[in-house]
């Protein structure tokens, strides 16, 4: 986004304090909003003071304490990931190619399978290793069963009876191929649909050693599938337990590191000061004198928290430490920040395009969607180091003008003149600057929408999308839902700490 919230309030419309030209621009944007059948009210900017946190007195910690803290953080992060990330899945471990671990694993496994092959090649065959493998397979298959799978449990227990198998082996009556056939059939019954093909291929393997090797390989995949199924099944029931668990683990960390809320305190103090500055400005009477203290509205803890979370979408991740309570979600907030920056540029380009084009062109849903997809694709790599926004916007300007001219021609409207093309290309290229007024207005309205959504308690239907953002409504609502889910969960976990800090801050305000 164009500016840090230290410089620009989320309720601002991006206007300079005393600029008639930008006021005119704001009026022009409102005119474009009418064409898009949207409108929103704008406010003015406010600065913010940055304070350094006051750290607690340092204390020495032992290596054991550090290791215990690290383990606590790891467990807490895993629990957090399962609950917050709806797409979380356990994946099979894949060791790096040519790594020592991978090489050692291959050597050990080869030795094991060579030993099994040698035993089965004896005359008569020795089945010690093979029976142990059958025992492991039996336990694995039983672990896949649910409490109600009584018939399958009885089948597995009866057919893979190790005592009976040992007796058959001692008497030379063991049919290992028949056991393998039963195992494959049971795997086909218990596996996820995605594994049907792997299980089917097992039937084509005739040699015992390669067959057992592949059976174990597919069973490993089935274990991962079962773990992911369990996670998806219990996720709805994990929320409250996870909240209590994370809070408990954080408290343990806080007891070992008493200054673990310094940056959280600074974060909330800044949000409180920003909101107080806004409310003070709004409370000024027409004559400019300050209103009486009794007239000043008081801040609510919820409003301060919501504003603080909005600040995370404007965070300078390279220069400023992230608040401790949201540290595990820093990458998520950063990703949302990048998505909103791209959405801001996309919305600004579409707004200036529809403002310059014929009045009816933006009402053509097919054209608007096509234009959006073209610009969106060209902005895909916006946050890569090799990406040069100004150059890409030049390309976008050319492409947009071609599409607009083509659409006007098909509609039988007046052609897009050269002068208009030049102006439109210039306005699109100007969006490259974070200080571009149109870009600032779009950014402000996006943040206003997110603020309104948080304040609404995440209830449906979603709040009305501000003026000028209707072409990117779907993308904006998707980001809003992700953002609100993160914020809501974080509040549930850390509300006691936030309440304690804000009770002191708001008393001083």
């Amino acid at each position: 986004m164009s500016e840090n919230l230290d410089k620009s309030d989320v309720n601002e419309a991006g206007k300079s304090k005393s600029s008639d030209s930008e006021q005119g621009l704001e009026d022009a944007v409102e005119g474009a909003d009418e064409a898009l059948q949207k409108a929103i009210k704008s406010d003015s900017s406010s600065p913010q003071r940055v304070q350094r946190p006051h750290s607690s007195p340092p204390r020495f910690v032992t290596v054991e304490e550090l290791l215990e803290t690290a383990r606590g953080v790891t467990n807490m992060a895993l629990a957090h990931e399962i609950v917050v990330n709806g797409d979380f899945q356990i994946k099979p471990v894949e060791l790096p190619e040519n790594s020592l671990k991978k090489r050692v694993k291959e050597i050990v496994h080869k030795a094991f399978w060579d030993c099994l092959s040698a035993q089965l090649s004896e005359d008569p065959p020795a089945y010690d290793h093979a029976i142990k493998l059958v025992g492991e397979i039996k336990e694995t298959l039983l672990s896949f069963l649910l409490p109600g799978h009584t018939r399958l449990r009885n089948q597995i227990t009866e057919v893979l009876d190790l005592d009976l198998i040992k007796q058959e082996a001692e008497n030379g009556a063991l049919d290992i191929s028949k056991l393998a056939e039963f195992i494959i059939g049971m795997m086909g019954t218990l596996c996820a649909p995605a594994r049907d093909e792997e299980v089917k291929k097992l039937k084509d393997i005739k040699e015992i050693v390669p067959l057992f090797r592949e059976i174990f390989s597919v069973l490993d995949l089935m274990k991962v599938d079962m773990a992911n199924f369990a996670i998806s099944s219990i996720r709805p029931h994990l929320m409250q337990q996870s909240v209590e668990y994370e809070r408990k683990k954080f408290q343990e960390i806080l007891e070992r590191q008493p200054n673990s809320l310094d940056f959280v305190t600074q974060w909330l103090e800044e949000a409180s000061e920003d909101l107080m500055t806004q409310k003070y400005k709004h409370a000024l009477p027409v004559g400019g004198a300050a209103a009486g203290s009794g007239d000043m509205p008081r801040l609510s803890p919820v409003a301060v928290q919501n504003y603080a979370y909005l600040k995370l979408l404007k965070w300078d991740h390279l220069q400023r430490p992230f608040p401790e309570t949201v540290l595990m979600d820093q990458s998520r907030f950063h990703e949302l920040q990048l998505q909103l920056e791209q959405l801001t540029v996309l919305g600004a380009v579409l707004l200036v395009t529809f403002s310059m084009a014929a009045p009816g062109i933006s009402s053509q849903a097919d054209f608007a969607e096509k234009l959006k997809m073209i610009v969106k694709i060209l902005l895909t790599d916006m946050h890569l180091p090799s990406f040069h926004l100004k150059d890409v916007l030049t390309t976008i300007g050319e492409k947009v003008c071609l599409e607009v001219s083509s659409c006007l021609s098909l509609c039988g409207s007046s052609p897009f003149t050269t002068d208009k093309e030049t102006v439109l290309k210039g306005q699109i290229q100007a969006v490259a600057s974070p200080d571009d007024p149109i870009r600032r207005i779009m950014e402000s309205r996006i943040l206003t929408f997110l603020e309104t959504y948080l304040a609404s308690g995440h209830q449906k239907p979603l709040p009305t999308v501000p003026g000028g953002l209707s072409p990117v409504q779907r993308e904006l609502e998707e980001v809003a839902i992700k953002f609100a889910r993160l914020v809501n969960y974080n509040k549930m976990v850390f509300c006691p700490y936030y309440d304690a800090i804000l009770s002191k801050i708001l008393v001083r305000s």
Side-chain angles (χ1 to χ4, degrees):
M1 291 185 183
S2 61
E3 296 181 9
N4 192 292
L5 276 180
D6 294 342
K7 299 178 181 178
S8 177
D9 188 276
V10 294
N11 288 325
E12 310 303 340
K15 297 183 291 181
S16 302
K17 292 181 179 178
S18 59
S19 172
D20 292 336
S21 60
E22 287 204 17
Q23 178 60 53
L25 176 60
E26 180 70 12
D27 294 338
V29 171
E30 292 298 338
D33 294 343
E34 291 177 8
L36 297 169
Q37 298 180 347
K38 300 288 180 180
I40 191 170
K41 186 178 177 182
S42 308
D43 298 315
S44 56
S45 300
S46 64
Q48 170 179 299
R49 295 186 301 277
V50 177
Q51 297 178 349
R52 296 183 62 83
H54 303 290
S55 299
S56 303
R59 73 181 185 92
F60 294 103
V61 293
T62 64
V63 174
E64 289 77 11
E65 286 178 314
L66 289 175
L67 291 174
E68 182 63 29
T69 300
R71 283 192 290 270
V73 171
T74 301
N75 293 336
M76 185 169 65
L78 179 59
H80 183 87
E81 184 72 20
I82 291 173
V83 174
V84 172
N85 183 3
D87 298 323
F88 175 83
Q89 283 192 331
I90 296 172
K91 295 182 179 180
V93 177
E94 294 184 6
L95 298 175
E97 287 294 332
N98 303 320
S99 66
L100 178 60
K101 285 185 178 181
K102 186 176 178 67
R103 182 61 180 155
V104 169
K105 180 180 178 181
E106 289 173 347
I107 292 173
V108 172
H109 280 208
K110 184 177 185 303
F112 176 85
W113 294 113
D114 286 348
C115 180
L116 176 63
S117 180
Q119 281 196 345
L120 296 178
S121 300
E122 294 178 9
D123 189 15
Y127 291 106
D128 294 349
H129 271 42
I131 293 173
K132 288 180 181 179
L133 291 180
V134 171
E136 290 184 27
I137 292 171
K138 175 183 177 180
E139 293 304 315
T140 301
L141 292 175
L142 289 174
S143 71
F144 293 154
L145 301 180
L146 298 175
H149 290 161
T150 306
R151 184 178 62 82
L152 293 177
R153 188 179 305 277
N154 291 338
Q155 279 186 313
I156 294 172
T157 303
E158 181 181 342
V159 176
L160 301 183
D161 184 336
L162 296 186
D163 291 335
L164 179 60
I165 291 173
K166 287 177 183 178
Q167 291 179 13
E168 292 176 343
E170 291 169 357
N171 297 319
L174 178 62
D175 187 346
I176 197 75
S177 298
K178 187 175 180 181
L179 285 179
E181 183 179 344
F182 171 80
I183 290 169
I184 294 171
M186 192 58 63
M187 289 171 66
T189 301
L190 298 175
C191 73
R195 303 299 173 200
D196 285 343
E197 194 61 33
E198 282 97 332
V199 173
K200 185 178 178 181
K201 290 179 181 177
L202 295 176
K203 298 178 181 179
D204 299 329
I205 303 175
K206 303 305 179 184
E207 296 183 22
I208 296 299
V209 174
L211 175 59
F212 268 87
R213 181 184 296 181
E214 288 306 310
I215 284 175
F216 273 91
S217 177
V218 176
L219 284 174
D220 285 341
L221 296 176
M222 290 175 63
K223 289 177 184 178
V224 173
D225 294 338
M226 181 58 67
N228 287 325
F229 172 74
I231 288 172
S232 63
S233 299
I234 66 175
R235 181 178 282 113
H237 309 288
L238 277 180
M239 180 69 75
Q240 187 57 44
Q241 290 87 340
S242 180
V243 167
E244 294 173 358
Y245 178 75
E246 282 195 49
R247 191 182 299 159
K248 176 184 174 183
K249 287 298 179 183
F250 187 81
Q251 181 61 37
E252 292 174 1
I253 295 170
L254 193 60
E255 290 170 0
R256 293 186 176 92
Q257 304 289 335
N259 61 341
S260 295
L261 286 173
D262 284 351
F263 292 114
V264 171
T265 303
Q266 178 191 8
W267 172 50
L268 295 176
E269 283 178 344
E270 291 175 359
S272 175
E273 289 180 7
D274 283 354
L275 289 178
M276 282 303 299
T277 301
Q278 292 177 42
K279 289 181 179 295
Y280 176 77
K281 285 185 176 181
H282 295 324
L284 284 177
V286 178
S293 58
D295 298 329
M296 283 297 295
R298 294 188 61 83
L299 296 178
S300 73
V302 173
V304 175
Q305 288 186 49
N306 287 348
Y307 185 84
Y309 282 109
L310 286 169
K311 286 175 68 67
L312 298 181
L313 300 177
K314 299 285 291 175
W315 204 262
D316 186 346
H317 293 268
L318 297 178
Q319 299 297 326
R320 297 193 64 188
F322 216 59
E324 296 90 343
T325 53
V326 286
L327 204 53
M328 285 191 296
D329 286 319
Q330 181 171 9
S331 61
R332 289 190 179 90
F333 279 108
H334 191 213
E335 181 181 351
L336 289 174
Q337 179 178 349
L338 298 180
Q339 288 178 17
L340 289 177
E341 287 178 358
Q342 187 182 68
L343 207 54
T344 300
V345 173
L346 174 61
V349 169
L350 295 178
L351 180 61
V352 297
T353 300
F354 294 144
S355 300
M356 285 288 298
I361 199 171
S362 62
S363 62
Q364 298 186 31
D366 292 343
F367 172 75
E369 188 63 24
K370 178 183 178 183
L371 195 63
K372 181 176 75 172
M373 291 308 300
I374 290 172
V375 179
K376 195 173 180 180
I377 290 171
L378 291 172
L379 293 174
T380 298
D381 299 328
M382 181 174 163
H383 298 100
L384 295 180
S386 58
F387 188 90
H388 298 288
L389 182 57
K390 192 171 182 179
D391 294 341
V392 172
L393 286 174
T394 299
T395 303
I396 289 174
E398 297 286 347
K399 185 66 176 173
V400 164
C401 286
L402 286 175
E403 293 295 332
V404 170
S405 295
S406 175
C407 182
L408 290 174
S409 177
L410 290 174
C411 296
S413 301
S414 302
F416 208 47
T417 64
T418 303
D419 290 341
K420 283 188 175 181
E421 284 191 8
T422 303
V423 173
L424 178 55
K425 290 176 183 177
Q427 288 186 346
I428 290 175
Q429 186 133 34
V431 173
S433 170
D435 294 322
D436 175 61
I438 292 290
R439 179 168 168 176
R440 292 176 63 190
I441 291 170
M442 298 303 291
E443 175 186 282
S444 172
R445 293 181 176 188
I446 286 173
L447 293 173
T448 298
F449 176 77
L450 295 177
E451 181 184 38
T452 305
Y453 186 48
L454 285 182
S456 70
H458 325 141
Q459 297 178 353
K460 293 185 178 181
L462 274 67
T464 302
V465 173
L469 291 172
S470 53
V472 294
Q473 177 174 344
R474 185 179 70 252
E475 291 82 357
L476 180 56
E477 290 179 347
E478 289 174 357
V479 171
I481 291 170
K482 291 180 184 177
F483 177 62
R485 185 184 298 125
L486 267 182
V487 171
N488 189 42
Y489 182 75
N490 189 269
K491 284 182 179 180
M492 291 172 63
V493 176
F494 298 106
C495 60
Y497 303 102
Y498 296 154
D499 289 343
I501 294 170
L502 288 173
S503 66
K504 297 177 183 177
I505 294 174
L506 297 181
V507 166
R508 300 196 303 263
S509 61

